[in-house]
Amino acid sequence: MKLKALFLAATLAAGTMVLPAAHAADIQTRLIRFGYGLNQDSNQGRAVQVFADEVAKLSGGKMKIRAVGAAALGSDVQMQQALIGGAQEMMVGSTATLVGITPEMALWDTPFLFNSGEEADQVLDGKTGQAIMHKLEDKGLVGLVYWENGFRNLTNSQKPVTSVEDFSGLKLRVMQNNVFLDTFQRLGANAVPLPFSELFTALETKTVDGQENPYNTILSSKFYEVQKYLSITNHVYSPWIVTASKKWWDGLSADERDVLLKAAAVSRDFERKDTRQEADKALAQLKADGMQINTVSPEAVQKMRETIAPVNAQIEKAVGSDLWNAVQDQLKEIRKQ
Ligand code: TK8
């Protein structure tokens, strides 16, 4: 009896460790290189830290994320190649930079597709968003979750932009895919595809006049130091996507994958909340930092929409009508509620 009581006390003291284990978790000691493009002090950096902490917690400290920000492991495109080749384990980056690998990702570049972050959540986490994410597996990547990059707004160093006509003559950096290139060419800008990692210097040296990104990024990347004008265009919602090397993923145990998927879901929920909370404050901060904020009238936004409407047909062709219609139908359903 006495022994039994002692054993019980020890069991309780040791917590979950000695609970009757249906199976011991199959988790190895692993160092996971996780790259990202923004600064550590950004919504992206904070969420990577949450992911790292959660992975450590769920794996009992065995799986360790080595987070490397500020594109020190390379641009989005370079990191994707490292993941495909198995030279790097994980990353987070823009879905727009994956279009060259998985054309269906272009769906998320549709101008004015979503009216709110919450709409985006439902579509990205829903059937179509997940189907597109799983297409990466044919190309050597495993998608885990979408994060919010956010609604993109235009900045430049030359002039206030409040109409389609104002785009004319502006040299604008765009993300490296044809949808962004075409969109900004149609608006009359001189669009230059460049990796994000080269953007600050390009703005500083006036190689380009402007760029477009969410408020959070304009702030955390200090673009306000080299850009005077900010136009509230909200022309497209950008997701980020957390990916892993398939070569590496295929060698993980089911328990290890489970740790990563669970931690990714926690990081996603944290990141979206953090990003939304930061966005409004970021705009006020950019103003305080000396940027001139220009609103764009509903009429001018309408003109933008009409000018770039042909881009939609191009996207529908690239992603296929089934996926295109599935998203349009889901949005109609969401907007009915
Ligand atoms: C960061 C990029 C960035 C994106 C861009 O690596 O390239 O403008 O918005 O967030 O993915």
Side-chain angles (χ1 to χ4, degrees):
M1 274 309 266
K2 217 177 157 197
L3 249 180
K4 215 174 167 188
L6 248 178
F7 179 72
L8 190 68
T11 307
L12 287 172
T16 52
M17 299 273 297
V18 280
L19 279 177
H23 85 140
D26 179 7
I27 296 176
Q28 316 254 326
T29 302
R30 293 192 185 268
L31 182 64
I32 303 162
R33 286 160 294 186
F34 190 119
Y36 61 100
L38 268 61
N39 293 321
Q40 201 179 335
D41 186 10
S42 67
N43 54 340
Q44 200 177 48
R46 287 189 292 275
V48 173
Q49 191 55 50
V50 165
F51 177 70
D53 291 346
E54 198 64 22
V55 169
K57 192 176 103 191
L58 295 174
S59 67
K62 282 187 169 173
M63 296 166 78
K64 192 172 177 324
I65 301 288
R66 194 206 283 159
V68 184
L73 294 182
S75 66
D76 284 8
V77 170
Q78 286 167 331
M79 289 195 287
Q80 287 153 14
Q81 292 308 319
L83 259 57
I84 291 168
Q88 181 182 325
E89 289 76 28
M90 294 188 75
M91 67 172 285
V92 61
S94 177
T95 55
T97 54
L98 281 166
V99 171
I101 293 173
T102 297
E104 291 83 357
M105 286 284 169
L107 196 40
W108 315 131
D109 298 333
T110 307
F112 303 105
L113 181 65
F114 298 127
N115 291 335
S116 69
E118 288 73 19
E119 271 189 12
D121 295 350
Q122 291 191 57
V123 173
L124 293 166
D125 300 345
K127 224 172 117 196
T128 313
Q130 297 302 297
I132 293 178
M133 189 162 90
H134 290 307
K135 286 193 183 290
L136 291 171
E137 285 161 31
D138 302 336
K139 304 292 167 71
L141 295 168
V142 177
L144 281 81
V145 280
Y146 293 101
W147 288 357
E148 172 158 303
N149 185 349
F151 284 95
R152 304 178 79 88
N153 292 290
L154 180 80
T155 69
N156 83 94
S157 57
Q158 299 299 314
K159 59 182 180 185
V161 173
T162 57
S163 69
V164 171
E165 290 72 30
D166 293 335
F167 279 86
S168 161
L170 279 180
K171 206 166 173 189
L172 295 181
R173 174 270 177 174
V174 294
M175 288 195 281
Q176 294 156 288
N177 83 36
N178 285 337
V179 177
F180 272 87
L181 191 66
D182 193 27
T183 300
F184 285 90
Q185 278 172 348
R186 282 179 190 279
L187 288 168
N190 178 359
V192 186
L194 269 184
F196 183 81
S197 49
E198 289 170 27
L199 182 50
F200 186 91
T201 306
L203 294 169
E204 191 178 31
T205 56
K206 300 245 166 50
T207 305
V208 293
D209 301 317
Q211 64 88 42
E212 37 86 55
N213 254 300
Y215 301 140
N216 311 58
T217 297
I218 299 168
L219 184 64
S220 64
S221 296
K222 301 195 191 312
F223 291 160
Y224 57 85
E225 289 182 357
V226 286
Q227 299 277 274
K228 174 74 185 164
Y229 305 99
L230 192 164
S231 300
I232 304 182
T233 47
N234 287 315
H235 50 274
V236 69
Y237 173 96
S238 272
W240 279 323
I241 186 167
V242 176
T243 50
S245 158
K246 185 158 192 301
K247 242 185 192 172
W248 171 73
W249 182 266
D250 287 346
L252 297 177
S253 71
D255 289 330
E256 289 167 334
R257 288 183 200 165
D258 198 46
V259 163
L260 295 171
L261 287 168
K262 282 192 175 127
V266 170
S267 73
R268 174 197 60 206
D269 296 344
F270 165 84
E271 196 274 347
R272 285 175 177 167
K273 213 168 139 202
D274 179 50
T275 299
R276 283 163 204 174
Q277 280 172 357
E278 188 191 35
D280 289 342
K281 282 185 263 168
L283 180 60
Q285 187 57 47
L286 291 169
K287 208 171 164 183
D289 286 329
M291 289 196 92
Q292 181 182 314
I293 315 295
N294 294 110
T295 51
V296 182
S297 70
E299 294 75 30
V301 170
Q302 186 53 31
K303 182 98 187 285
M304 274 181 78
R305 281 177 182 264
E306 285 162 15
T307 309
I308 55 187
V311 171
N312 289 2
Q314 180 198 329
I315 297 172
E316 182 174 351
K317 205 169 144 216
V319 307
S321 292
D322 287 352
L323 285 174
W324 176 268
N325 291 334
V327 168
Q328 294 301 326
D329 290 348
Q330 192 183 353
L331 285 172
K332 263 183 224 146
E333 278 306 309
I334 293 170
R335 286 170 191 167
K336 253 194 236 159
Q337 287 159 16

